[in-house]
Amino acid sequence: MLIACGDALIDFVPTRNVEGREAVMPAVGGSCLNVAIGMARLGAPTGFVGGISTDLFGRMIADHASASKVALDLATRSDHQTTLAFVRIVEGESHYAFYDAETATRNWTYRHGSIPFDTVEAVHVGSTTLVNDQGAAETKALIADARASSTISFDPNCRPNLVKDKPTYLARMVEFSRSADLIKMSDVDFAYLFGEEPYQQRASTLLGQGTSLVVITRGNNGAIAWHAQAGQIEVQAPKVEVADTIGAGDSFQAALLFALYKQGRIARPRLQDIVADELRRALSFAANCAGLTCTRPGADPPWSHEINWDW
């Protein structure tokens, strides 16, 4: 099984009403839930770990996840409110306003021994859950239990408007990266965390600390990856008509993990030994899945029958 641990929320995505005025439409989201949904839709046995409310929006989240074949038996249901995020698209980038005080996601706690990690091949973490102290601490405890048997995937998926103390947040992201076997981040996130540092320089640092695979996604410019044995690999982004970019990075992450799983390369020793051709196929598949997600509004990753893939 593959699992994603973190945020589940409702995005209010931009649209237009019948009069042509700006409006918003509720859509299930949350980076880590999106990754879980993306993996499950492609055909991997997938579970979600995190807090989901029992309120109206929480029921929307649970119904959506279940319809996408994501197992929720490891999730924590509570009567805390659902996190809400309002989205605006500015120059092709999604900008968010979060309402996340005392929510189900914020109040999630990890219960030691509650997850059978010997049956879990990979755990994905990241995003808004790691901004607050409690979420970061609970996720760190989960990783401590998971790392002996499960590959750790990490995407910081930064939300600067939630960060109150950037130096502390940066140190936290660096700390999480030390526990990760696979690190993916967008070029926007990289610039926020590391400024103008060359990608390859930071990738070398991360590989030197034990990470197996580092990937930077660059929107229309595709993705570039570094692996200790397979070397540096670059893939192009597909040319698509973009509706919005919400969930594109999550779709890329989900598809990459799925492709590694499908190739039998998701386990830590197997990921360390992946060859260049296998990695290129996995990255290209991920880029195509992200491209398809961009063609429709909201975080709506593809199903297996929608994407052309050949192993």
Side-chain angles (χ1 to χ4, degrees):
M1 172 177 272
L2 310 180
I3 66 174
C5 170
D7 50 339
L9 52 81
I10 295 293
D11 285 322
F12 285 85
V13 299
T15 184
R16 297 274 177 179
N17 64 18
V18 293
E19 297 173 341
R21 296 180 180 178
E22 286 190 13
V24 292
M25 175 182 67
V28 174
S31 177
C32 293
L33 182 68
N34 290 341
V35 171
I37 287 171
M39 294 188 296
R41 286 185 175 185
L42 291 171
T46 304
F48 174 76
V49 177
I52 300 177
S53 177
T54 55
D55 67 10
L56 169 66
F57 292 128
R59 292 194 297 274
M60 284 177 59
I61 290 169
D63 290 346
H64 181 71
S66 296
S68 295
K69 304 186 185 305
V70 175
L72 296 179
D73 53 309
L74 299 176
T76 303
R77 302 301 299 271
S78 73
D79 60 3
H80 296 286
Q81 292 183 339
T82 298
T83 300
L84 305 180
F86 289 80
V87 189
R88 289 202 80 191
I89 309 299
V90 180
E91 296 181 353
E93 289 289 337
S94 302
H95 293 252
Y96 295 82
F98 288 91
Y99 294 81
D100 191 32
E102 298 301 319
T103 60
T105 293
R106 280 282 191 115
N107 283 277
W108 168 77
T109 56
Y110 169 63
R111 303 186 307 279
H112 178 73
S114 61
I115 301 173
F117 286 114
D118 58 338
T119 67
V120 176
E121 295 179 73
V123 177
H124 174 73
V125 301
S127 197
T128 61
T129 305
L130 306 185
V131 174
N132 65 83
D133 294 344
Q134 178 178 330
E138 300 295 338
T139 305
K140 191 184 303 182
L142 180 146
I143 290 173
D145 283 355
R147 204 171 192 286
S149 56
S150 305
T151 296
I152 306 301
S153 163
F154 171 52
D155 177 4
N157 196 30
C158 306
R159 294 291 178 254
N161 58 325
L162 292 179
V163 175
K164 306 302 181 186
D165 182 345
K166 186 175 179 179
T168 298
Y169 176 74
L170 175 57
R172 180 177 291 164
M173 296 302 99
V174 170
E175 182 180 4
F176 272 99
S177 73
R178 294 193 183 103
S179 300
D181 300 291
L182 187 162
I183 299 171
K184 191 277 290 182
M185 68 186 89
S186 70
D187 51 357
V188 175
D189 289 342
F190 187 97
Y192 179 71
L193 295 173
F194 305 117
E196 297 182 359
E197 180 179 355
Y199 293 151
Q200 187 167 359
Q201 181 175 308
R202 176 56 55 170
S204 296
T205 298
L206 295 170
L207 294 176
Q209 72 187 18
T211 299
S212 295
L213 178 61
V214 178
V215 183
I216 306 294
T217 57
R218 303 171 298 164
N220 291 333
N221 295 317
I224 186 166
W226 293 264
H227 185 273
Q229 291 193 39
Q232 179 177 317
I233 294 177
E234 186 171 354
V235 298
Q236 299 301 310
K239 296 185 183 301
V240 298
E241 186 172 338
V242 176
D244 68 42
T245 60
I246 298 170
D250 303 328
S251 183
F252 184 101
Q253 185 82 33
L256 176 58
L257 290 170
F258 171 80
L260 294 172
Y261 164 80
K262 195 73 173 176
Q263 291 175 316
R265 290 292 186 179
I266 194 72
R268 185 175 296 119
R270 297 284 290 155
L271 179 59
Q272 291 170 345
D273 292 338
I274 195 170
V275 299
D277 285 346
E278 291 173 319
L279 182 54
R280 186 180 303 279
R281 286 199 299 272
L283 292 165
S284 295
F285 178 70
N288 287 332
C289 285
L292 180 55
T293 302
C294 289
T295 64
R296 45 206 192 193
D300 188 8
W303 294 81
S304 58
H305 66 269
E306 294 182 291
I307 191 78
N308 182 28
W309 54 283
D310 181 11
W311 303 109

